[in-house]
Amino acid sequence: MKRIKIDRDKCIGCLTCTTACIISHGSADNRSRVVIDSYGKYAPIFCRHCEKPECVYTCMTGAMKKNQDTGIVEYDKDHCANCFMCIMACPYGVLKPDSVEHKVIMKCDMCQGTESGSPSCVKKCPMNAITLEEV
């Protein structure tokens, strides 16, 4: 399975990754995927697509699912009850409600279903700080 990794030493906080995500998904709500890390730098937060994802286990409607073929934790907003149990269960704190209506869970989907088909943040990072690696 592949995961997005970030080398914080290479990251300059330009937020090109965030812009690439917003363009890829056609929404300004993706801004909530950026935090200021413990070093005082801007840094994106990525879903780790856990092997045993707590968000999937706590989701009572099945809106969060682990795709066994791709290894990606997928989110179906049409099945979401907006209980936010997935947000509370995530040990990495990477799930967030959208910043507008607070009804959609914002999480990395590895750009599945988009034109690029692979993570835009990885492709667009000018410092090559973000990589897609096999784990």
Side-chain angles (χ1 to χ4, degrees), residues 54-116:
E54 293 295 325
C55 60
V56 171
Y57 299 133
T58 59
C59 182
M60 56 189 161
T61 64
M64 288 285 182
K65 297 177 190 160
K66 174 86 172 175
N67 184 316
Q68 297 305 316
D69 295 330
T70 63
I72 295 172
V73 174
E74 299 172 342
Y75 170 67
D76 182 351
K77 68 180 178 182
D78 295 329
H79 286 96
C80 184
N82 302 319
C83 68
F84 299 143
M85 288 300 294
C86 56
I87 292 173
M88 292 183 272
C90 178
Y92 301 105
V94 296
L95 302 179
K96 306 282 183 206
D98 71 278
S99 60
V100 179
E101 296 179 3
H102 304 290
K103 293 184 178 180
V104 177
I105 304 301
M106 300 307 299
K107 68 173 293 302
C108 174
D109 61 1
M110 303 282 278
C111 292
Q112 298 294 305
T114 62
E115 288 182 26
S116 65

Side-chain angles (χ1 to χ4, degrees), residues 14-29:
C14 68
L15 302 180
T16 300
C17 54
T18 304
T19 304
C21 185
I22 291 168
I23 291 169
S24 179
H25 292 86
S27 170
D29 294 334

